[in-house]
Amino acid sequence: MLLPKNRGFVHPIASDITPQSVFHTRRNWVATMAAVAALGPRVAWPQTSAAARGNALPGARSTLPGAMTMEKITPMADATSYNNYYEFGTDKSDPAQHAHTLKTRPWTVTIEGAVKKPGTFGIDDLLKLAPMEERVYRLRCVEGWSMVIPWVGYSLAELIRRVEPTGNAKFVQFVTLADPAQMPGLRSSVLDWPYLEGLRIDEAMHPLALLAFGMYGQVLPNQNGAPLRLVVPWKYGFKSGKSLVKIRFVEQQPATSWSLAAPQEYGFYSNVNPKVDHPRWSQATERRLGEGDLFAKKRPTLMFNGYETQVGSMYEGMDLAKWF
Ligand SMILES: Nc1nc2c(c(=O)[nH]1)N[C@H]1C(S)=C(S)[C@@H](COP(=O)(O)O)O[C@H]1N2
Ligand SMILES: [Mo]
């Protein structure tokens, strides 16, 4: 593993992060409830003007255990305007403001390393690789906010099986786009670019690990990781790399951008765990985007973000305080 470099990076402290409840008003509430009521028992989400502009990308409702929480879906306007995509700036409003410069066609994803069938795949072929499913997942950022999103995509395992990993493929590294011409945030050295993430091979093969192409029935907005991203719902949000361009199968635990920037704060595993606090933020509770005002009660954070039944066995015998 590479040695971490100290670049004097200081992640914003909790009080520096504008609570989303202040960032947005409750303007979406009435529209949300009206839309939910109108659509009946099927998965429903607020239809906003932003929603109306996107290109449709429907998915069949997933039957995978854990893939359909009954919790209230976060308004699309909140999920698309308050998020992290550091290649477009470090403020929560930067991705929505600046990600329009991202060009999502042509787009390829290169698969390399310990696989029998390496290659470069075009985005339109990847879209046809497996049937699109709609999965409603919680995603929790280590900063303490969470959301419930109807993603559209298929299990990353569908792609992995087709490239036939060899016995040396113990880990998977994800490399995302780093093009200074499209991404103003690359001028900052806040992270090592390209943004790197990684999973152990069994985690990457877990059916809940989603290769997402859309959300809310539409292709992904740029700020949410177009044209394709990972969604690993039992891990902190930063494990879900956006705008993937390369997937590498490797024998050793790969480098990841957040661990390189601050290894004492961001471990390789980063499973959501209310009992293991981040050095500067409690992980015991969370605020749900789009829900209530500043004084709204926080929700308790669940072990593995509520996916313990599905993923817990992968970590049996591991000291999760050590392997955080
Ligand atoms: N390429 C890239 N991917 C990224 C990030 C990033 O800065 N760059 N931020 C991560 C973090 S910290 C979170 S919480 C989620 C946010 O995802 P969202 O847009 O669905 O809210 O994206 C993750 N993926
Ligand atoms: Mo995050």
Side-chain angles (χ1 to χ4, degrees):
M1 224 177 119
L2 293 173
L3 284 175
K5 282 174 269 180
N6 182 358
R7 45 171 61 73
F9 168 63
V10 182
H11 202 92
I13 59 167
S15 59
D16 287 345
I17 298 168
T18 311
Q20 188 266 347
S21 46
V22 174
F23 191 87
H24 290 295
T25 65
R26 293 169 62 96
R27 66 191 147 75
N28 297 307
W29 178 251
V30 175
T32 303
M33 294 327 287
V36 168
L39 287 167
R42 206 194 167 268
V43 178
W45 53 83
Q47 302 298 302
T48 65
S49 52
R53 284 196 293 274
N55 290 320
L57 184 67
R61 191 172 179 169
S62 180
T63 55
L64 189 69
M68 270 296 161
T69 171
M70 288 296 116
E71 287 178 77
K72 186 164 95 65
I73 287 171
T74 301
M76 184 180 180
D78 293 312
T80 56
S81 63
Y82 182 97
N83 61 4
N84 285 331
Y85 193 162
Y86 274 30
E87 289 86 335
F88 293 101
T90 53
D91 285 349
K92 296 285 173 281
S93 57
D94 281 337
Q97 262 173 51
H98 303 301
H100 59 90
T101 54
L102 177 68
K103 287 193 215 66
T104 59
R105 290 295 188 285
W107 192 279
T108 59
V109 178
T110 298
I111 313 276
E112 61 180 38
V115 292
K116 288 186 195 133
K117 295 179 173 167
T120 295
F121 300 82
I123 182 67
D124 294 309
D125 292 330
L126 287 169
L127 279 161
K128 286 178 268 175
L129 194 77
M132 287 292 166
E133 285 184 12
E134 181 169 85
R135 300 190 186 172
V136 182
Y137 283 168
R138 285 178 294 276
L139 194 65
R140 188 195 189 282
C141 178
V142 70
E143 292 166 338
W145 43 277
S146 66
M147 52 199 187
V148 178
I149 295 191
W151 301 101
V152 182
Y154 50 75
S155 296
L156 174 65
E158 296 278 358
L159 174 58
I160 295 181
R161 263 189 231 108
R162 284 166 173 85
V163 299
E164 299 181 25
T166 70
N168 293 334
K170 303 281 197 287
F171 293 90
V172 189
Q173 186 180 45
F174 302 91
V175 183
T176 77
L177 183 74
D179 178 4
Q182 303 177 51
M183 300 171 138
L186 298 196
R187 283 194 292 263
S188 152
S189 57
V190 63
L191 288 177
D192 260 333
W193 313 112
Y195 189 100
L196 300 173
E197 259 310 332
L199 295 173
R200 217 169 55 190
I201 187 79
D202 58 328
E203 300 177 316
M205 290 293 289
H206 192 284
L208 284 177
L210 181 73
L211 198 54
F213 300 83
M215 61 198 287
Y216 299 86
Q218 304 176 6
V219 300
L220 285 172
N222 288 354
Q223 62 268 35
N224 293 91
L228 81 168
R229 66 172 291 174
L230 220 52
V231 186
V232 191
W234 69 96
K235 292 179 181 276
Y236 293 117
F238 62 88
K239 300 297 291 183
S240 296
K242 297 175 169 179
S243 309
L244 300 172
V245 293
K246 195 175 281 187
I247 303 177
R248 258 186 214 133
F249 291 77
V250 295
E251 186 147 23
Q252 306 294 324
Q253 182 179 302
T256 64
S257 288
W258 284 105
S259 295
L260 287 172
Q264 67 291 352
E265 300 198 3
Y266 306 103
F268 178 79
Y269 285 93
S270 293
N271 293 311
V272 174
N273 188 340
K275 289 176 290 209
V276 177
D277 285 334
H278 180 276
R280 288 176 288 117
W281 305 303
S282 165
Q283 299 302 320
T285 60
E286 65 199 57
R287 240 179 242 293
R288 189 61 54 80
L289 292 199
E291 210 177 65
D293 57 21
L294 243 191
F295 307 101
K297 211 164 161 265
K298 290 191 180 181
R299 295 167 169 266
T301 289
L302 304 174
M303 190 64 204
F304 294 112
N305 207 21
Y307 300 96
E308 184 167 17
T309 314
Q310 289 82 27
V311 306
S313 64
M314 289 194 289
Y315 308 101
E316 251 163 44
M318 279 174 76
D319 177 352
L320 297 177
K322 182 178 175 217
W323 302 104
F324 63 90

